[in-house]
């Protein structure tokens, strides 16, 4: 499978375009919920780097095309600092006017902690500058193998303990076979445990990204897997769960199978079911859900065109911010004709054994 994934990746990488190395890929502000469950705003800065090492070396994960956003030319520490300063200048005043009301999220199209993407000098500059601001939280994203003493020490050398630091990491599932075969993540349970334990030593939280419905499993298996994985992650001591319902990215194996009608992203009913189970079993824990791509045919959706899709997307967004379980329960108790279709789909797919695509 690896050679197939590499070929697929290389084919698409030829289409990657050169962009200004001193400008971030994107920046935006949105409502967000902090680790202490208070509500504020987050500023997301997507830094332009050379991209995910795992995707270059092995073809990467079967659902991910972030490498397409990365730079085909070398990005220096200075370039990254320029990108960061550009973004900060845009929002600095707003942050200073609203102390303790912002978190800053620094993402790349890979791992912020990987030296290959963000050199030490750039990390030191960024953390030092962030520590001077009256912000509540700092979030970065990284594969678990880079959540080590070396990198966490850099963070805590510059960032005081009064600023929460959280690292989002793609655990995806606690099932080894699904993680490493269906998703081709190249991350073991030992890597995950080690990352969580190391983060605890430095008073750094771990946000566990869990993928809802990886390839090669049925809708029902996906629901069971997502509930089990969240409960296990919480037992291991992660600071929050963030679900990513699968979305079809261009140039991925997931897209190839989706186009052959051998895969369908999860139903929103399934996503609600997962959230209800996990939140009701862990009322004091932060359980979030990304809604990017919902409800297009490439994102999680109920029956295409059904009017419940947009309403449920809004409920998922509201739940993520408020953590109010009654929103999810209310949505699950609401009626829509596509709910029967979802139940039938699950029954039929289980008999069929092979995962099904969308209706055509
Ligand atoms: S999901 Fe993360 S680790 Fe996997 S290819 Fe994408 S950026 Fe790399
Ligand atoms: Zn519906």
């Amino acid at each position: 499978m690896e050679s197939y994934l590499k070929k697929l990746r290389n084919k698409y990488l030829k289409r990657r375009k050169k962009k200004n190395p001193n400008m971030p890929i994107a920046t935006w502000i949105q409502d967000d919920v902090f680790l202490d469950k208070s509500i504020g705003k987050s500023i997301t800065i997507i830094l332009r780097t050379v991209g995910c090492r795992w995707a270059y070396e092995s073809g990467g994960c079967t659902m991910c095309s972030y490498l397409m956003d990365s730079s085909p030319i070398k990005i220096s520490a200075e370039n990254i600092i320029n990108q960061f300063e550009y973004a900060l200048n845009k929002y600095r005043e707003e942050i200073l006017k609203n102390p303790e009301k912002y978190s800053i999220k620094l993402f790349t199209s890979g791992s912020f902690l990987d030296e290959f993407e963000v050199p030490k000098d750039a990390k030191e500059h960024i953390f030092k500058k962030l520590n001077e601001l009256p912000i509540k939280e700092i979030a970065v994203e990284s594969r678990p193998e880079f959540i080590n003493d070396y990198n966490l020490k850099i963070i805590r050398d510059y960032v005081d303990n009064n600023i929460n630091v959280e690292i989002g990491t793609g655990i995806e599932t606690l099932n080894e076979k699904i993680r490493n075969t269906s998703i081709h993540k190249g991350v073991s349970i030992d890597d995950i445990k080690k990352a969580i334990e190391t983060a605890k030593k430095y008073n750094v939280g771990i946000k566990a990204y869990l993928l809802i419905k990886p390839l090669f499993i049925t809708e029902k298996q996906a629901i069971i897997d997502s509930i089990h994985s969240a409960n296990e992650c919480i037992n291991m001591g992660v600071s929050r769960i963030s679900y990513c319902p699968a979305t079809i990215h261009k140039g991925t194996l997931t897209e190839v199978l989706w186009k052959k009608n051998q895969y369908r992203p999860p139903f929103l009913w399934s996503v609600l079911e997962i959230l209800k189970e996990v939140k009701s079993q862990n009322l004091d824990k932060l359980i979030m859900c990304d809604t990017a791509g919902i409800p297009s045919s490439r994102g999680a959706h109920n029956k295409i065109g059904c009017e419940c899709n947009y309403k449920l997307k809004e409920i998922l967004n509201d739940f993520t911010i408020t953590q109010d379980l009654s929103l999810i329960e209310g949505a699950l108790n609401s009626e829509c004709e596509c709910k029967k279709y979802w139940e039938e789909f699950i029954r039929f797919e289980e008999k069929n054994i092979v995962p099904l695509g969308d209706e055509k």
Side-chain angles (χ1 to χ4, degrees):
M1 178 153 116
E2 191 150 306
S3 69
Y4 175 82
L5 290 174
K6 269 192 196 167
K7 248 190 237 155
L8 189 64
R9 188 73 66 189
N10 288 334
K11 186 174 132 198
Y12 276 83
L13 275 184
K14 287 188 190 122
R15 301 179 194 173
R16 204 166 44 156
K17 300 207 171 67
K18 251 196 254 169
K19 299 265 173 67
N20 185 344
N22 294 310
M23 289 293 281
I25 292 175
T27 64
W28 67 88
I29 292 192
Q30 67 186 43
D31 291 338
D32 220 324
V33 54
F34 300 134
L35 275 172
D36 63 4
K37 302 195 194 74
S38 60
I39 296 172
K41 290 194 182 292
S42 60
I43 294 167
T44 302
I45 304 168
I46 314 270
L47 296 167
R48 195 181 302 284
T49 68
V50 289
C52 174
R53 187 200 294 244
W54 172 247
Y56 282 113
E57 287 175 357
S58 75
C61 304
T62 53
M63 72 301 185
C64 174
S65 70
Y66 289 143
L67 195 59
M68 291 304 290
D69 297 330
S70 66
S71 171
I73 54 168
K74 198 176 170 294
I75 300 282
S76 66
E78 199 189 334
N79 293 141
I80 290 176
I81 290 170
N82 290 341
Q83 294 177 33
F84 169 74
E85 290 294 339
Y86 166 86
L88 210 57
N89 285 339
K90 214 165 138 185
Y91 300 113
R92 192 187 308 270
E93 246 178 71
E94 186 70 25
I95 298 169
L96 293 174
K97 266 196 271 168
N98 299 283
E100 302 288 300
K101 286 279 175 266
Y102 279 95
S103 80
I104 300 212
K105 298 179 169 181
L106 289 158
F107 299 160
T108 72
S109 31
S111 294
F112 180 88
L113 296 182
D114 186 358
E115 200 85 13
F116 169 72
E117 288 188 57
V118 182
K120 189 170 180 246
D121 290 355
K123 284 192 196 108
E124 287 176 340
H125 175 96
I126 288 171
F127 289 129
K128 187 166 172 268
K129 289 283 167 170
L130 290 178
N131 196 47
E132 291 164 5
L133 291 171
I135 52 173
K136 187 134 175 145
E137 285 183 13
I138 297 172
V140 297
E141 285 178 345
S142 175
R143 282 175 60 88
E145 63 264 35
F146 307 116
I147 305 174
N148 51 29
D149 285 297
Y150 175 79
N151 280 317
L152 294 183
K153 199 169 169 324
I154 296 176
I155 297 178
R156 281 300 178 207
D157 277 352
Y158 289 91
V159 180
D160 298 339
N161 257 309
N162 63 333
I163 299 182
N164 293 329
V165 179
E166 200 177 38
I167 304 171
T169 192
I171 291 175
E172 318 296 2
T173 165
L174 255 279
N175 180 310
E176 290 290 275
K177 214 163 164 190
I178 299 176
R179 189 178 335 97
N180 288 320
T181 307
S182 305
I183 304 177
H184 191 243
K185 191 85 200 177
V187 167
S188 72
I189 182 69
D190 287 341
D191 297 331
I192 293 168
K193 284 183 181 159
K194 220 160 127 191
I196 296 172
E197 287 314 312
T198 311
K200 280 182 196 163
K201 274 200 298 185
Y202 293 85
N203 190 24
V204 166
I206 293 286
K207 169 160 71 170
Y209 289 119
L210 296 179
L211 179 67
I212 299 181
K213 205 174 173 190
L215 288 179
F216 312 125
I217 64 171
T218 63
E219 189 85 11
K220 187 173 176 186
Q221 289 165 342
I223 296 172
I224 296 169
D225 176 61
S226 288
I227 296 170
H228 168 79
S229 298
N231 285 332
E232 288 295 306
C233 284
I234 289 167
N235 287 340
M236 285 195 279
V238 302
S239 47
R240 68 175 107 188
I241 300 290
S242 182
Y243 279 114
C244 306
T247 302
I248 314 289
H249 288 193
K250 282 211 168 77
T252 60
L253 179 61
T254 305
E255 187 190 46
V256 172
L257 292 171
W258 174 69
K259 283 191 171 160
K260 287 181 194 276
N261 209 26
Q262 289 168 1
Y263 176 80
R264 170 203 202 286
F267 283 82
L268 296 176
W269 296 118
S270 305
V271 175
L272 290 167
E273 188 67 37
I274 293 164
L275 292 172
K276 184 197 80 183
E277 280 303 314
V278 175
K279 185 68 186 175
S280 58
Q281 291 173 43
N282 304 280
L283 283 171
D284 61 328
K285 299 286 177 229
L286 277 173
I287 315 291
M288 312 175 67
C289 183
D290 183 20
T291 57
I294 294 176
S296 75
S297 59
R298 283 182 176 261
H301 60 273
N302 287 338
K303 260 188 137 173
I304 294 281
C306 192
E307 59 182 31
C308 67
N309 280 305
Y310 286 97
K311 199 178 76 197
L312 296 180
K313 176 176 182 166
E314 219 170 283
I315 290 173
L316 290 172
N317 282 330
D318 290 347
F319 168 74
T320 287
I321 299 293
T322 62
Q323 294 293 297
D324 180 356
L325 177 60
S326 72
L327 291 174
I328 302 291
E329 289 171 335
L332 273 171
N333 287 331
S334 67
E335 277 312 318
C336 188
E337 42 108 6
C338 75
K339 208 168 166 188
K340 282 210 171 56
Y341 173 74
W342 167 62
E343 288 162 357
E344 278 302 312
F345 181 99
I346 288 182
R347 257 198 297 278
F348 188 74
E349 195 182 41
E350 284 307 299
K351 278 192 212 144
N352 202 47
I353 305 187
V354 182
L356 296 175
D358 231 330
E359 50 172 351
K360 291 277 169 200

